[in-house]
Amino acid sequence: MIRYVVAIVLAVALVVLAVPAIERGASMNSQRQVDASIAAIDDAATSLAESEELSPDGHPDPRRVVDVTLPRESLTTESVDHFEITPRENGSYSTVRYVLEDGTTRETVIGEPIVRNDPADNESIELGGTSGVRLALTLQADDNGDPVVVASRV
């Protein structure tokens, strides 16, 4: 009888000790997945701005398509509560800010300014949900004729 009580107490103690480690691992796994998607956006935007030129009127704009994966909540991942790409006022870069469901907040920089849907606007791109999102990045001219990376959902 005492063996059973000791076994149950040990099992409960192991579970109590393991839960924080599992939660921390889930947060780190989600951060790794979202950071990989941010790196893909950064690579595509930089490649587009550095290797392409603005298209003449009537021709299709240079384009890159990026799959952004936002993890779902599971035992090994935390879901993303908020994901936003914001072009900076000086127009030389963008910041990406995301918040996981557990409250973990991270912010990083993308080397190119990325705006939403219209090259003349300076609007942020917000992504939500717990699935994959496809972003089309195109190189378009703003009001001054300068190239701008414009993101839209595909």
Side-chain angles (χ1 to χ4, degrees):
M1 175 79 166
I2 293 178
R3 282 189 252 169
Y4 294 120
V5 173
V6 171
I8 291 172
V9 169
L10 283 174
V12 169
L14 286 175
V15 168
V16 168
L17 291 173
V19 168
I22 291 170
E23 289 175 350
R24 176 76 176 132
S27 179
M28 291 175 64
N29 193 24
S30 293
Q31 290 174 40
R32 195 170 29 257
Q33 288 179 18
V34 175
D35 288 346
S37 291
I38 293 170
I41 294 169
D42 190 13
D43 291 345
T46 302
S47 168
L48 192 60
E50 290 179 355
S51 64
E52 300 288 345
E53 295 181 10
L54 292 172
S55 295
D57 290 339
H59 293 284
D61 295 317
R63 175 179 167 159
R64 305 281 191 276
V65 177
V66 179
D67 291 319
V68 179
T69 303
L70 301 177
R72 300 174 195 207
E73 186 170 4
S74 70
L75 184 61
T76 60
T77 57
E78 289 285 338
S79 64
V80 176
D81 190 40
H82 182 79
F83 184 97
E84 181 177 32
I85 302 171
T86 306
R88 293 290 107 198
E89 295 298 325
N90 66 4
S92 63
Y93 67 97
S94 296
T95 58
V96 179
R97 181 176 179 272
Y98 67 89
V99 180
L100 298 180
E101 195 67 36
D102 69 355
T104 302
T105 302
R106 299 229 8 211
E107 191 168 314
T108 188
V109 173
I110 290 181
E112 294 294 325
I114 301 175
V115 298
R116 182 174 62 102
N117 294 335
D118 185 1
D121 288 339
N122 202 19
E123 293 186 37
S124 299
I125 301 114
E126 292 187 29
L127 302 178
T130 56
S131 62
V133 176
R134 295 191 91 190
L135 281 181
L137 303 176
T138 57
L139 191 64
Q140 299 179 22
D142 65 6
D143 291 338
N144 299 328
D146 296 326
V148 175
V149 177
V150 177
S152 58
R153 287 182 184 235
V154 177

